[in-house]
């Protein structure tokens, strides 16, 4: 198995050359004094070193060993505790955190790259910092000053980790029907009682304390999603002076045996009148969670990208080493028993398919990061508002399209290994099992598709979609006289026209057919994803063309992968558009009991 | 998890109504006295009973437990030995075997249905009978009478099982470079020395003896694939009187830890001057293997179908039971906390996608079985020859398209379960892990695609493809006046025209571009698969339309699934055709060291 090498050159390309992060950061009041290209570069280098050397090497064994549950205590796999310590000591937990409470305040465009490395190194390990960062976001956005002061510094340092407690056995997608109860104690605290499942790193031995954010209902709360409140429930109580007090009445009942991410503990958490504190307003729990959701959902897409990148690195190494059969052009290495399989067109097709997707995903997630940075760090209200619309529109795509394509990519990376891909020691099958969860958790991809099609497109008459399309159109217009760009610009024009056309079609259908949104959703999300990647690849091709004579082969390669994407992947939009236009009738005609 | 219920109604539909097996069997000299619809029906019923009750219930635990290796001995998972005994006692091992040696001589059209049930019940278990049947085919076709008499009866009865020993650590796809050696002993026997890997059920405790078919090279053999011979190497020597003698010098060095089919043992087999006997002619080993290959490859497709069917059954049950959110049309079950998720268009899309693929696969594999039956049981030389061409053409599609789509199907079936799909106890994730191997073994799907595109299409100028296209065309012509069929016949005409057009395009390209075949292969195989399924669904729709007024809802349902396939899946051919026409240039331009 290949050793993970962080794709720093590609990350710098996306950051500095495609999205000109230096200009973005210099333009935003919140980042201009915090980060510049040199700082960013140093951060990327340091993160790569730590992850390549300390974290990635643990991943394979963590899958075999898993987290272990013993009478309520959970032990992380061998080496995780020490690696977590090293990660915390490097300050990585607080990389994007609020500087007022000890965070480093780095922009998402940058932290996204570090997140990709971390998740490529080990998804199981990476989930702990990821959940902590998510919990911090909610506390920072909605918690009282007292809560922030009491909890954030130790969470940014990683001394305490965070967990999100949403799902219950009967309530996953539909959080409106949760049963966990909260009752007021009269002293500002609440008692929380109920059972939560699928709680990632809900219990473990890596951090001194675990801060749970728990959704629960007050006795008089309205039914459904409008009656949910969010509570901060620490595993160990925190005294006034910040020291740890007695154990709170919550416990881990068991951990799940699952398909992948076995190194991480997926916990059943039992709350038995556990003490908690309200985060945000009463009955506003879902809104408070959603503050965090856009970040988390993007990170899930980035997680999937990380695993896909690792699978690609393994596959390329194997394809260069494995000797099997001869090139159709004749022997390439007559002195060897056979040619390396990378000579075969179909192996190259698989490798290029992987690469076009991972590099498209890296550009796209950084692009979404750019909009998140503007919403967070700009002081211009109009810019913030427009950026928020883009974040809302693009986030479900970043979560679901990246993860759907990452499953394909890791399956392809496994396929290149033939029978060896099915054997555990090679690691390729683990990446498939691990990445599979990214399509499921943090809102299953079908839910992301409904969110995009229903809430983000149809509900506002396609307004945000038009903003996105206008941006693409202005890129097209700016490059329409560039003959070298024509091979990208012409199809991109067709794709953006098609997306607008299909969007109008669904908006129209939805007026008279309640099922139109659900019927179109999944294919529409993929259509959007391919179109957005076409835009990403055109932008990357533009930069590559400008530097083609620089003597750096990197740009010629980039251009070739762009061509592959345009000529051999983008055609999928035709099929997706036809499916969408077929409407809902074939889906709805069959009675439920005849399935 | 749902209990497996063999889809007997669907199997009968395909057998009796779509392909009119009664007429086929009555027309073939080899089957007319062996099987009739009543016998076939009794066989299906009995197989279903045994598999539903004795085999399927073992599958989940076998995944947790795995086969166990201990100092060269392999113990099958709990219950496998007893179930194997029951399977053998029912005579199921010899269902398709040569009656001269104790087989039942049943046609493939029928055995294909039993194979589907067996593999749906447990792929890990099903591999033992599957490999035994494959070994018997080779021995029956190429072995001397002495070998046949000595080995086949005990293999058909299952007292002895069979194994195929092809792969070596450095030689998988490229068997021409194997190193296992055979030397003549002068008494008609050979000594075999070498190491084989990935040997399914190469060692176990379910049968009294294991008969290995081993590829090896004689000292003076030509280099490459033309220097390979096939040897029968028993685990335990068989005396003249048929009793078991001493142990042969072969042993299982270890078993693999793998992604799925964990119940089965995947063995490293060491042969240390093990005694063996030649099967077929010297240096004709690959040809002897290929006799068996068409059958085995079809069964791998059927295996994948079985797992996909099981995933569908689980998913439907879950989608009816799981309450989550409300129908977009408004509450369907106001008395419940939420509606069952089967009300949601996107869940229905997933279920219908699964169903359109599994039912298409069942029809297609039975269709290929029909051609296999004609090659085997007809006494008309022309018919046999034409059928052999169809078998050659369709087999790689049956292997690779069914398995590729089955992975998609089981992933979809897992997705319907949300987070629960990732948890092992629900069984859906096991089906994904198990079915994944069907894309890899028995010739990885990329190899199947090369076989189809190169050997079966381009090499003969598309002759067999024309035969297939002519059959579809005559179906179209026969139904062109049927207004009710127009919704299928018109697109089917477009699809078959497109397939011919794309085929001509690749044949043309291949004249001047050595990489054209490899560049087109994968997409072409999928294009062929979709087109063939369109034909299958049109045939099924035809039967369904004719019986729509029968009062049996089955036919109305079939018609609705046919419409779903045509309106929401078949569009994929547009994308595939565009990819193929893009040619090889984007695949070949990048230097191997720049990947």
């Amino acid at each position: 198995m290949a050793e993970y090498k962080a794709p720093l050159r590609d990350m710098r390309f996306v950051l500095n050359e495609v999205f000109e992060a230096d200009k973005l950061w210099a333009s935003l009041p919140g980042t201009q004094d915090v980060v510049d290209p040199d700082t960013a570069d140093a951060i990327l280098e340091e993160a790569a070193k730590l992850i390549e050397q300390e974290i990635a090497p643990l991943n394979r064994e963590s899958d075999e060993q898993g987290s272990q549950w013993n009478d309520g205590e959970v032990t992380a796999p061998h080496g995780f505790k020490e690696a977590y310590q090293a990660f915390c000591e490097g300050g990585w937990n607080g990389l994007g955190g609020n500087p007022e409470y000890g965070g480093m305040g780095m922009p998402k465009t940058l932290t996204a790259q570090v997140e990709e490395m971390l998740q490529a190194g080990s998804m199981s390990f990476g989930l702990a910092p990821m959940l902590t960062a998510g919990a911090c976001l909610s506390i920072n956005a909605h918690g009282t000053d007292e809560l922030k002061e009491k909890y954030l510094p130790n969470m940014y340092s990683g001394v305490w980790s965070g967990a999100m407690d949403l799902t219950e056995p009967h309530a996953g997608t539909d959080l409106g029907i949760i049963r966990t109860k909260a009752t007021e104690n009269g002293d500002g605290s609440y008692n929380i009682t109920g059972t939560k499942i699928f709680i990632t790193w809900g219990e473990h031995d890596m951090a001194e304390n675990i801060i749970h954010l728990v959704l629960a209902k007050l006795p008089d709360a309205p039914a459904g999603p409008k009656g949910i409140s969010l509570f901060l429930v620490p595993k160990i109580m925190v005294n006034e002076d910040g020291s740890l007090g007695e154990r709170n009445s919550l416990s881990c009942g068991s951990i799940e045996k699952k398909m992948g991410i076995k190194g991480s503990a997926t916990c059943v958490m039992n709350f038995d009148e556990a003490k908690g504190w309200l985060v945000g307003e009463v009955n506003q729990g879902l809104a408070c969670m959603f503050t965090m959701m856009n970040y988390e959902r993007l990170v899930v897409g980035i997680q999937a990208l990380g695993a896909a990148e690792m699978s690609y690195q393994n596959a390329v190494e194997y394809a260069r080493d494995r000797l099997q059969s001869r090139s159709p052009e004749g022997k390439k290495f007559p002195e060897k028993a056979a040619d390396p399989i990378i000579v075969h067109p179909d192996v190259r097709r698989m490798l290029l398919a992987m690469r076009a997707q991972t590099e498209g995903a890296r550009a796209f997630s950084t692009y979404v990061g750019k909009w998140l940075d503007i919403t967070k760090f700009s002081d211009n209200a109009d810019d913030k508002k427009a950026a928020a619309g883009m974040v809302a529109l693009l986030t479900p795509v970043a979560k679901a399209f990246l993860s759907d394509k990452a499953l394909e990519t890791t399956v392809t990376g496994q396929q290149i290994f033939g029978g060896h891909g099915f054997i555990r020691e090679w690691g390729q099958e683990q990446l498939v099992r691990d990445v599979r969860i990214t399509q499921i958790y943090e809102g299953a991809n079908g839910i992301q598709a409904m969110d995009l099609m229903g809430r983000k497109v149809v509900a506002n008459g396609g307004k945000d979609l038009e903003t996105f399309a206008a941006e693409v159109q202005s890129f097209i217009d700016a490059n329409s006289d560039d003959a070298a760009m024509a091979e990208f610009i012409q199809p991109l024009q067709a794709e953006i026209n098609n997306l607008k056309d299909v969007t109008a079609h669904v908006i129209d259908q939805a007026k008279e057919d309640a099922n139109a949104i659900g019927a179109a959703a999944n294919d529409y999300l993929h259509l959007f994803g391919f179109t957005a990647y076409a835009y990403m690849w055109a932008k990357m091709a533009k930069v590559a063309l400008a530097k083609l004579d620089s003597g750096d082969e990197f740009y010629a390669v980039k251009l070739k992968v762009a061509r592959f994407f345009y000529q051999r992947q983008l055609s999928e939009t035709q099929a997706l558009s036809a499916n969408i236009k077929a409407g809902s009738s074939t889906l709805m005609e069959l009675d439920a009991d005849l399935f």
Side-chain angles (χ1 to χ4, degrees), chain A:
Chain A
M1 192 175 173
E3 282 177 20
Y4 174 64
K5 292 293 293 173
L8 293 178
R9 178 69 182 91
D10 275 274
M11 289 174 170
R12 289 189 189 112
F13 171 70
V14 165
L15 262 187
N16 302 328
E17 301 178 70
V18 180
F19 293 109
E20 302 179 289
D22 54 340
K23 291 184 194 159
L24 173 73
W25 298 334
S27 76
L28 296 173
T31 51
Q32 55 199 189
D33 299 328
V34 175
V35 63
D36 57 33
D38 285 346
T39 315
D41 226 40
I43 287 174
L44 293 179
E45 295 273 1
E46 285 305 308
K49 209 182 296 174
L50 175 72
I51 291 161
E52 289 169 1
Q53 294 172 7
E54 310 279 336
I55 294 170
L58 302 173
N59 194 45
R60 188 67 213 91
E61 190 189 339
S62 79
D63 180 68
E64 294 298 335
Q65 199 179 21
S67 274
Q68 304 291 331
W69 182 94
N70 184 16
D71 197 19
E73 306 290 317
V74 172
T75 313
H78 175 72
F80 269 33
K81 191 171 180 175
E82 294 74 16
Y84 184 80
Q85 220 63 41
F87 191 83
C88 293
E89 279 161 17
W92 298 105
N93 256 303
L95 192 65
N98 184 348
E100 280 182 63
Y101 300 100
M104 285 173 66
M106 290 296 157
K108 191 70 187 177
T109 31
L110 179 61
T111 60
Q113 318 305 323
V114 177
E115 284 157 357
E116 183 198 322
M117 295 184 214
L118 178 63
Q119 304 295 343
S122 173
M123 275 181 59
S124 286
F125 179 89
L127 279 162
M130 174 177 158
L131 269 295
T132 304
C136 288
L137 275 168
S138 283
I139 298 168
N140 186 56
H142 303 285
T144 59
D145 287 346
E146 199 189 332
L147 282 184
K148 289 196 243 185
E149 281 158 23
K150 197 163 184 178
Y151 292 98
L152 286 180
N154 276 331
M155 292 177 81
Y156 286 145
S157 74
V159 175
W160 301 344
S161 72
M164 298 288 175
D165 302 56
L166 288 70
T167 305
E168 299 181 7
H170 69 293
T173 296
D174 190 356
L175 291 169
I177 55 175
I178 60 167
R179 293 180 193 141
T180 297
K181 283 179 297 193
T183 53
E184 254 186 293
N185 290 327
D187 62 355
S189 76
Y190 293 77
N191 274 356
I192 313 292
T193 301
T195 296
K196 296 286 181 177
I197 63 168
F198 300 161
I199 310 309
T200 302
W201 289 120
E203 179 56 54
H204 61 86
D205 62 346
M206 297 187 289
E208 291 173 12
N209 198 3
I210 301 170
I211 311 305
H212 292 264
L213 292 189
V214 185
L215 289 182
K217 298 194 125 184
L218 287 160
D220 55 351
K226 287 175 184 163
I228 300 175
S229 303
L230 181 65
F231 298 90
L232 184 155
V233 186
K235 171 182 167 185
I236 301 170
M237 307 296 283
V238 179
N239 298 324
E240 287 304 309
D241 65 357
S243 64
L244 294 180
E246 61 185 12
R247 174 99 192 205
N248 205 349
S249 48
L250 59 95
S251 62
C252 173
S254 61
I255 62 174
E256 306 287 351
K257 293 185 79 171
K258 50 198 196 294
M259 182 187 199
I261 51 167
K262 294 185 183 184
S264 71
T266 302
C267 303
V268 174
M269 295 302 305
N270 298 313
F271 296 85
D272 182 16
E273 305 209 324
K275 216 165 203 187
W277 287 267
L278 191 66
V279 178
E281 302 293 312
V282 165
N283 295 336
Q284 296 294 312
L286 276 193
C288 298
M289 273 290 172
F290 271 104
T291 301
M292 174 275 292
M293 283 279 186
N294 280 338
Y295 278 80
E296 289 286 300
R297 287 181 168 174
L298 174 59
V299 183
V300 171
I302 291 171
Q303 241 190 340
L305 160 61
E309 167 69 28
M310 186 68 234
S311 182
Y312 176 75
Q313 293 189 17
N314 288 340
V316 170
E317 183 174 291
Y318 189 81
R320 285 206 195 98
D321 287 352
R322 175 77 172 171
L323 305 178
Q324 210 77 175
S325 305
R326 293 296 183 182
S327 160
E329 296 174 356
K331 294 182 185 182
K332 295 281 179 183
F333 295 85
E335 74 284 6
K336 294 181 175 173
D339 288 333
I341 61 173
I342 202 167
V343 302
H344 298 295
D346 192 56
V347 172
R348 292 171 151 260
R349 175 191 64 78
M350 291 193 271
L351 289 172
L352 282 161
M354 297 178 78
R355 189 159 174 169
Q357 285 299 324
T358 50
E359 295 182 7
R362 187 173 297 116
F364 185 68
S365 53
T366 304
Y367 174 66
V368 182
K370 186 189 86 170
W371 293 117
L372 278 166
D373 284 344
I374 296 171
T375 60
K376 185 169 173 183
F377 296 112
S378 173
D379 59 357
N380 178 312
D382 289 346
D383 287 357
K384 279 171 100 90
K385 198 180 157 197
M390 291 296 264
V391 167
L393 179 73
L394 301 174
T395 296
V397 183
K399 195 276 180 182
F401 191 65
L402 268 68
S403 57
D404 281 352
K405 290 296 154 188
L407 181 72
E408 279 181 33
T409 301
T410 53
V411 165
T412 302
Q414 182 187 20
Q415 191 72 16
I416 288 170
F417 279 66
H420 299 280
F422 201 66
I423 306 301
R424 290 170 69 149
E425 68 174 298
W426 288 88
Q428 287 296 75
E429 63 85 39
Q430 182 188 344
L431 294 169
V432 174
R433 288 187 287 103
D434 285 354
V435 88
R436 181 70 183 90
I437 191 60
T438 62
Q439 301 175 287
I440 297 172
Y441 63 17
E442 213 62 35
N445 284 0
I447 302 302
Q448 304 296 333
M450 290 288 291
D451 178 46
L452 173 69
M453 184 86 267
R455 226 170 294 159
K456 310 296 175 60
V457 174
V458 174
N460 71 15
K463 206 167 59 66
D464 290 327
L465 187 275
E466 278 164 27
T467 310
F468 172 75
E471 180 188 324
V472 179
Q473 191 60 53
S474 69
F475 176 82
I476 292 171
D477 294 343
N479 290 285
S480 56
D481 294 337
D482 183 348
M485 279 293 288
E487 62 178 307
F488 307 111
I489 290 300
Q490 285 169 13
L492 181 60
Q493 182 70 69
E495 294 300 336
I496 200 72
N497 290 349
N498 177 61
L499 180 62
K500 285 158 73 175
D501 173 52
V502 171
T503 305
H505 179 88
V506 179
I507 291 175
D508 214 44
Q509 291 286 302
K511 287 173 190 155
E512 50 204 37
D513 177 6
N515 294 307
I517 290 170
N522 177 70
D523 289 319
Y524 185 84
L525 185 139
H526 285 93
L527 175 65
F528 196 118
F530 275 109
T531 309
Y533 278 26
Y535 176 43
M536 294 299 111
W537 272 113
K539 283 177 82 75
M540 291 193 273
K542 176 76 184 170
V543 176
L545 278 165
K547 300 189 180 175
L548 213 49
D549 301 329
S550 65
D552 185 346
E553 280 177 322
F554 179 88
Y555 300 105
V557 172
K558 206 57 69 190
L559 199 59
K560 286 171 182 176
V561 181
R563 283 191 186 121
F564 174 85
F565 177 82
Y566 266 80
Q567 292 183 35
R568 308 242 354 170
Q569 294 200 318
L570 191 50
S571 56
E572 188 62 28
T573 57
Q574 299 172 39
L576 294 164
S577 304
N579 293 348
I580 295 166
K581 288 186 174 174
S584 72
S585 64
T586 58
L587 305 182
M588 305 313 298
E589 274 172 2
L590 198 56
D591 286 350
D593 54 355
L594 294 175
F595 269 84

